[in-house]
Amino acid sequence: MTNYTNLLKEYDLKVTPQRVAIVEELYKNGHMNIDDLYKKLLSKFPSVSLATIYKNINAMIEKVFLSEVKIPNSKSVYELVKAEHAHLVCSSCGYIEDIMIDASSVLAEASTISSFKIDSTNIILSGLCPHCKK
């Protein structure tokens, strides 16, 4: 079992019951949007506001503890920061899965054909998950 309190402290984030609950949900579910997080936390903290969720998510993003994954034509989802990876997104059901790929060749090619100084990548691959493919 992961100690969410120590994890928050490692990132110099104040430990609150709401933050611990956010981390716990993201750890269990992988990727969640604000609305789903709010519904989950509302069952644990009936007086929690949507503004509180946004405030905590933004504080965790600032400390590079969480990252925002911008999914085309959908709400952004949030995840705990981890090693560089891409996302597979099901265009039918919305399921999101991490995939560990080496993006260095894409970055090298983009740097060769563009004058941009690339400082981050967000690779989203979409298609049908195994369940929807059937």
Side-chain angles (χ1 to χ4, degrees):
M1 167 112 178
T2 302
N3 186 328
Y4 306 117
T5 299
N6 286 344
L7 200 53
L8 286 165
K9 286 179 182 177
E10 281 178 35
Y11 283 82
D12 199 28
L13 286 158
K14 184 178 175 188
V15 177
T16 66
Q18 291 86 358
R19 285 186 179 170
V20 170
I22 288 170
V23 174
E24 184 177 20
E25 289 302 327
L26 288 172
Y27 187 82
K28 283 193 294 191
N29 296 293
H31 306 90
M32 294 181 78
N33 66 40
I34 292 279
D35 294 337
D36 291 339
L37 268 170
Y38 178 61
K39 287 175 194 166
K40 289 281 190 180
L41 266 64
L42 201 54
S43 66
K44 296 176 184 178
F45 307 98
S47 64
V48 73
S49 70
L50 193 53
T52 298
I53 305 298
Y54 273 106
K55 184 177 128 198
N56 282 299
I57 291 292
N58 287 330
M60 291 184 208
I61 289 171
E62 283 179 25
K63 294 286 188 174
V64 194
F65 180 71
L66 296 183
S67 59
E68 179 180 11
V69 181
K70 296 179 181 177
I71 307 293
N73 305 316
S74 188
K75 293 181 180 182
S76 290
V77 294
Y78 300 89
E79 67 181 350
L80 299 173
V81 167
K82 47 191 125 166
E84 183 90 18
H85 62 283
H87 293 95
L88 298 169
V89 179
C90 181
S91 54
S92 179
C93 70
Y95 172 73
I96 302 170
E97 183 178 308
D98 291 342
I99 183 169
M100 304 308 284
I101 60 171
D102 182 3
S104 59
S105 61
V106 173
L107 290 172
E109 185 176 351
S111 294
T112 302
I113 61 176
S114 170
S115 59
F116 268 74
K117 179 191 173 295
I118 301 168
D119 55 15
S120 69
T121 60
N122 290 305
I123 299 174
I124 308 284
L125 305 165
S126 44
L128 293 175
C129 70
H131 181 265
C132 292
K133 191 169 59 173
K134 291 180 184 175

